[in-house]
Amino acid sequence: MHAKSESGTTLNESFRDIDSWIFDLDNTLYPRHVDLFAQMEVKMNEFVSSLLGLTLEDASHLRHSYYKQYGTTLRGLMIEHHIQADDFLEYVHDIDHSVVEPDPLLASALRSLPGKRYIYTNGTQDHARKVSERLGITEYFHDVFDIVWAGLDPKPNRAPYERLLAQTGIKAERAAMFEDLARNLKVPAELGMTCVLIVPDQMRAVFEGRWDAEGSEAPFVHHVTDNLGQFLTDVLTATGRRQEQSPAKP
């Protein structure tokens, strides 16, 4: 499965007027099987364990409860333990990015999209830069909005989405949002964006039933794909746009 419409609309109907393209970073611009998050989970568990004097197992349980309650481990630690964000963010994102491989199909599609392209992540600017450099897509984005820019207020909270629209001048009805977590698409859909959910390759069974996958069939998920590069290529074809054959600056 490469693409599926959950809304009943065609790709042309959904994307012909889109001129702002907003992409989550982790498990969206690169496929889930790359599993950078596994590295970050280890680092987060270590940080929480050291901070609170817990075993790694107890730190993991606490971190997952904060993730569910507050949206990110960091926000939970800030609210419950009043930590400063910088040390956490630096430690957690100090990982091996070399496992991310270049994605020529994605690069070709991104540079051909009309309008502007953005990264909006609950991670950091530096992490986004390292990932996009490995993918070979850095030059095709106009800006990166990270958790620090959001005032440490993570998706799926509404305020940072509204700030993104206000700061960029993006018109929600002419914007598309790409995410690997369905719950992070609820607010963009309410604001009027076209929403695309990125799922693991071939809808792998391990994905089924996961808490973070809940809502994948919700009405605010308009399209589903397991291959972002191919999906964007299909969008370009459906809307009658040609992919550029040579690199073009955004």
Side-chain angles (χ1 to χ4, degrees):
M1 182 202 75
H2 290 315
K4 176 183 177 183
S5 173
E6 299 295 310
S7 61
T9 58
T10 67
L11 292 182
N12 182 48
E13 291 170 328
S14 291
F15 294 97
R16 63 191 173 198
D17 297 323
I18 300 298
D19 58 14
S20 295
W21 310 79
I22 308 165
F23 297 88
D24 175 52
L25 180 70
D26 293 306
N27 299 329
T28 297
L29 285 176
Y30 63 84
R32 185 179 289 259
H33 67 254
V34 173
D35 211 8
L36 286 185
F37 193 71
Q39 296 186 57
M40 289 187 273
E41 281 191 311
V42 170
K43 303 283 282 189
M44 286 189 285
N45 289 341
E46 291 173 350
F47 188 95
V48 173
S49 173
S50 176
L51 176 72
L52 301 178
L54 301 175
T55 66
L56 288 174
E57 182 179 2
D58 287 342
S60 178
H61 288 309
L62 181 63
R63 185 180 63 76
H64 280 89
S65 71
Y66 285 169
Y67 177 60
K68 286 189 177 184
Q69 184 175 358
Y70 298 111
T72 62
T73 299
L74 172 58
R75 190 159 183 83
L77 291 173
M78 291 173 61
I79 291 173
E80 299 287 347
H81 303 284
H82 311 289
I83 74 161
Q84 297 297 312
D86 291 349
D87 290 344
F88 176 88
L89 291 171
E90 181 177 355
Y91 186 82
V92 167
H93 291 97
D94 183 18
I95 60 174
D96 177 16
H97 290 83
S98 67
V99 293
V100 180
E101 298 180 350
D103 190 337
L105 179 64
L106 178 61
S108 175
L110 284 171
R111 70 173 174 248
S112 301
L113 294 176
K116 296 185 176 181
R117 288 131 277 154
Y118 304 93
I119 294 173
Y120 173 31
T121 174
N122 278 345
T124 64
Q125 283 261 359
D126 185 60
H127 175 53
R129 176 184 58 78
K130 290 176 179 177
V131 169
S132 63
E133 286 177 351
R134 290 291 307 172
L135 287 167
I137 60 176
T138 304
E139 63 184 311
Y140 306 123
F141 288 95
H142 289 73
D143 212 340
V144 176
F145 300 95
D146 71 345
I147 192 65
V148 176
W149 164 87
L152 306 176
D153 189 11
K155 296 179 282 186
N157 294 345
R158 189 181 189 91
Y161 292 101
E162 293 180 336
R163 182 182 177 193
L164 177 65
L165 296 182
Q167 183 170 322
T168 60
I170 290 172
K171 296 184 184 302
E173 66 275 11
R174 297 179 65 91
M177 181 85 196
F178 297 80
E179 261 281 356
D180 70 301
L181 297 177
R183 62 196 177 94
N184 288 351
L185 292 172
K186 185 174 185 294
V187 171
E190 291 173 350
L191 292 170
M193 298 186 198
T194 297
C195 294
V196 182
L197 181 67
I198 313 299
V199 299
D201 298 350
Q202 303 304 317
M203 292 289 288
R204 291 179 302 183
V206 69
F207 187 67
E208 298 300 326
R210 287 176 55 108
W211 171 81
D212 58 8
E214 291 178 1
S216 60
E217 296 183 0
F220 51 80
V221 174
H222 305 135
H223 297 272
V224 177
T225 183
D226 63 3
N227 187 319
L228 178 59
Q230 186 60 56
F231 182 85
L232 294 176
T233 299
D234 292 344
V235 166
L236 290 165
T237 300
T239 54
R241 299 181 176 103
R242 295 179 58 187
Q243 285 190 245
E244 298 178 20
Q245 299 302 310
S246 58
K249 297 295 183 180

